[in-house]
Amino acid sequence: MRLSELLNNAPDTTSAQVENFLGYRKIAWGKRKPISVGRVVRNHYCLSCGDTRSFVSGEALSCLISAESVLSIDVALRCSGCESGTEAWFLVGCGDDLYSQAPEVNLQRFTENRRDVAANQGLRVEQIDDLFERAQIAFDDSLGAGAMVYLRKIFEAVTSQAADAVGLSTRRSNGKRRDFRSLLAEVDATSHIIPSEFSEDGYTLFSELSEVIHGDSDELRALEKYDPCRRLILGIVNNVRNREELAEAITSLGWPSKVGQPTEGRAS
């Protein structure tokens, strides 16, 4: 396995043995060394191309020895379609000897600078996409509570959009915002925005996010909760988008649409 394969799997932190890439002579702390480990490839939605593209590094990379068994790698990447540029940074640690024939290494930290060039793969709606992007940047910088704030904003935005789509008011008669629990219950009863796998736990997810935001969890716990919460929020977003696509397809065929209409019950 070449080191580039491990970098391509970021943010996965699983240890793996890779081919020797530093040589067998120890490099002094703070020194840089050119390395040939294969091209780094990250798949993103390119805002210029308007489609998912591979952002690819050059063949030659450079690393900085930052500790006895830790090195830092900065990588410039270009879109394969339009050559727009992004950057990625990897901190790689070694569990044994960096200079052995097959050192066992793992990703200790990873962050990307996608600026206004690229977005996470598969996300299309601009407002939601921007919030997912901000959540990931906060997480990459170890800001767990900050990342959860953006996830909750996505949940609230999707629920409000679904309410508007079926004519449900998000405000009370006095003009103030409705309690989110009651709004979510009414929206989900009408439009089924929560996937069936956790249809009974939609507000529980919102409560998880809120507890972290309001200081009931420390940063470490917030970081631990981020990935599963993000996957559930993404599940809601994809569920809504799938229903919208189905509704468009049904309408184009001239069939009577039932998407978004209340039903007697839902599958468990």
Side-chain angles (χ1 to χ4, degrees), residues 7 24 32 49 53-54 62-63 101 110 115 129 131 141 144 151 171 188 209 221 232-233 254:
L7 302 182
Y24 301 99
R32 287 192 172 274
C49 294
R53 297 282 190 242
S54 293
S62 176
C63 69
Q101 185 172 353
F110 160 73
R115 302 188 303 273
D129 182 56
L131 293 172
D141 287 337
L151 292 184
R171 299 279 176 177
D188 195 45
L209 300 171
R221 184 59 180 148
L232 293 178
I233 294 296

Side-chain angles (χ1 to χ4, degrees), residues 1-7 16-25 27 32-38 59-65 68-73 90-106:
M1 177 179 181
R2 305 189 75 185
L3 180 62
S4 61
E5 296 178 55
L6 181 135
L7 302 182
Q17 283 191 316
V18 298
E19 298 175 4
N20 177 282
F21 58 93
L22 289 176
Y24 301 99
R25 179 179 298 178
I27 303 168
R32 287 192 172 274
K33 180 180 175 65
I35 54 176
S36 179
V37 297
E59 188 65 42
L61 304 180
S62 176
C63 69
L64 172 72
I65 305 301
E68 180 71 23
S69 57
V70 180
L71 55 92
S72 171
I73 304 174
F90 306 86
L91 191 67
V92 177
C94 181
D96 45 29
D97 181 5
L98 267 173
Y99 307 94
S100 66
Q101 185 172 353
E104 184 173 341
V105 298
N106 71 292

Side-chain angles (χ1 to χ4, degrees), residues 85-208:
T86 64
E87 296 84 34
W89 174 72
F90 306 86
L91 191 67
V92 177
C94 181
D96 45 29
D97 181 5
L98 267 173
Y99 307 94
S100 66
Q101 185 172 353
E104 184 173 341
V105 298
N106 71 292
L107 189 63
Q108 294 189 348
R109 193 169 181 194
F110 160 73
T111 189
E112 287 181 293
N113 180 15
R114 294 185 285 271
R115 302 188 303 273
D116 296 322
V117 172
N120 284 330
Q121 184 180 6
L123 302 175
R124 298 293 188 267
V125 179
E126 290 183 4
Q127 179 191 11
I128 303 300
D129 182 56
D130 180 65
L131 293 172
F132 268 121
E133 189 82 358
R134 291 172 185 270
Q136 189 62 42
I137 290 171
F139 175 77
D140 290 341
D141 287 337
S142 298
L143 302 175
M148 296 298 233
V149 167
Y150 289 115
L151 292 184
R152 193 176 80 163
K153 283 180 176 292
I154 295 169
F155 199 174
E156 291 172 330
V158 169
T159 303
S160 294
Q161 289 173 7
D164 291 341
V166 293
L168 295 175
S169 177
T170 60
R171 299 279 176 177
R172 293 182 292 182
S173 57
N174 60 5
K176 293 184 177 180
R177 293 177 61 182
R178 288 181 58 184
D179 172 75
F180 187 77
R181 182 194 287 269
S182 65
L183 177 62
L184 176 63
E186 189 172 358
V187 168
D188 195 45
T190 303
S191 301
H192 303 328
I193 67 172
I194 308 297
S196 60
E197 290 82 356
F198 62 105
S199 60
E200 302 301 319
D201 298 308
Y203 191 75
T204 302
L205 172 59
F206 185 79
S207 296
E208 287 276 1

